[in-house]
Amino acid sequence: MTAQVRDILIYNNKKLYMAAEPLECYLKKVKLPYHLVAPSTSCWRGYTSKWAIDNKKLFLIEWQGYILDYQKVGIDYLFPGEEIVFAKWFTGQIKIGIGKIVRYIHGGYASVHEGNMFLIFENGELVNEYTKMLTQEEIEKIQNEDDDL
């Protein structure tokens, strides 16, 4: 699988790139008039989105999808009449790679960063967050794995 375009999250006035797709659980429940189609191998899900956390709530603030013969559709395709949507359907974890890429993996969101920030949500509300950084020893082990390939 090709590395995938990451969705953007604005949090604490920073632009972050997510290794998660909080919209997927919503898309599994909703019946769209037309299925989303991949505009390229770097976007198999058929859309890109931008999110923001405000007052500990997750909001979908921009969305662009592709249907039929790569026709672009906007957020109102999913949420008619809406411009910004509170993600009350989302319970789960958003992972964000932080620091330098220690090992690039050309597939999905599998590349390894120096660390990860984890944001935990329940019904769209941020309930916990934590960061895990790799030790220098772990980084060296991961980089040496590349040498063994």
Side-chain angles (χ1 to χ4, degrees), residues 32-33 60 62-64 72-85:
L32 297 174
L60 177 62
E62 290 179 23
W63 185 85
Q64 182 174 294
K72 291 181 185 179
V73 291
I75 199 167
D76 58 338
Y77 183 73
L78 296 179
F79 302 97
E82 301 291 328
E83 292 180 23
I84 295 174
V85 180

Side-chain angles (χ1 to χ4, degrees), residues 69 101 142:
D69 194 21
I101 293 177
I142 290 166

Side-chain angles (χ1 to χ4, degrees), residues 51-130:
W51 302 81
I53 297 174
D54 184 45
N55 200 26
K56 295 197 176 225
K57 292 184 177 183
L58 181 65
F59 292 91
L60 177 62
I61 60 173
E62 290 179 23
W63 185 85
Q64 182 174 294
Y66 300 87
I67 58 172
L68 302 172
D69 194 21
Y70 306 105
Q71 176 185 348
K72 291 181 185 179
V73 291
I75 199 167
D76 58 338
Y77 183 73
L78 296 179
F79 302 97
E82 301 291 328
E83 292 180 23
I84 295 174
V85 180
F86 171 52
K88 62 186 173 195
W89 66 84
F90 182 64
T91 295
Q93 171 181 279
I94 293 177
K95 178 177 138 183
I96 298 162
I98 53 177
K100 295 177 184 173
I101 293 177
V102 173
R103 182 173 182 207
Y104 175 75
I105 300 173
H106 194 67
Y109 304 115
S111 290
V112 180
H113 289 76
E114 291 175 313
N116 290 297
M117 177 190 321
F118 298 93
L119 304 173
I120 314 301
F121 292 87
E122 286 183 17
N123 301 314
E125 298 209 24
L126 181 64
V127 295
N128 193 16
E129 70 178 273
Y130 63 94

